[in-house]
């Protein structure tokens, strides 16, 4: 068996019927926590009782990909403003390798 190295561009020019074997040289390991962005509610915001305020948050991961991005309500849904007093809005992001980030906002 002959072993030949080819670049990606050269692979497309291989003759039909030639066996192509790909070897993985290394492994990439995702050790970074996924970023969480919370637009609404803003930190320490004062919201009137009964006001309609839409949750705005997102999670992203360029490593292994997102497994989950959860808040008390879905992004694009109204916050709970039915009662007065302090509320905490927490978003938890988990990527496919289990790295987790939590972002909290009080309102």
């Amino acid at each position: 068996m002959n072993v030949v190295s080819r670049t990606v561009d050269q692979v497309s020019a291989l003759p039909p019927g030639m066996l192509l074997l790909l070897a993985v040289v290394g492994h990439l390991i995702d050790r970074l926590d996924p970023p969480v962005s919370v637009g609404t509610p803003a930190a320490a915001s004062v919201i009137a009782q009964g006001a309609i305020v839409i949750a705005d948050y997102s999670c992203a991961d360029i490593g292994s990909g997102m497994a989950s991005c959860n808040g008390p309500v879905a992004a694009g849904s109204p916050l709970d403003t039915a009662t007065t007093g302090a509320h905490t809005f927490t978003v938890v992001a988990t990527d496919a390798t289990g790295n987790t980030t939590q972002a909290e906002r009080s309102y």
Side-chain angles (χ1 to χ4, degrees):
M1 174 172 70
N2 293 330
V3 177
V4 178
S5 275
R6 301 278 182 185
T7 65
V8 172
D9 292 331
Q10 292 171 321
V11 169
S12 63
L14 289 175
M18 180 177 234
L19 178 63
L20 178 63
L21 244 277
L22 299 176
V24 176
V25 177
H27 298 280
L28 298 177
I29 299 172
D30 181 2
R31 291 194 172 126
L32 300 175
D33 293 337
V36 176
S37 174
V38 179
T40 305
S45 58
V46 177
I47 299 172
Q49 183 178 12
I52 298 172
V53 179
I54 304 301
D56 176 27
Y57 65 89
S58 63
C59 309
D61 186 69
I62 60 171
S64 60
M66 290 304 305
S68 64
C69 179
N70 298 311
V73 298
S77 297
L79 300 176
D80 175 14
T81 61
T83 58
T84 60
H87 297 272
T88 302
F89 186 89
T90 304
V91 178
V92 179
T94 304
D95 69 16
T97 58
N99 300 312
T100 302
T101 302
Q102 178 173 308
E104 280 189 1
R105 299 292 183 269
S106 297
Y107 66 98

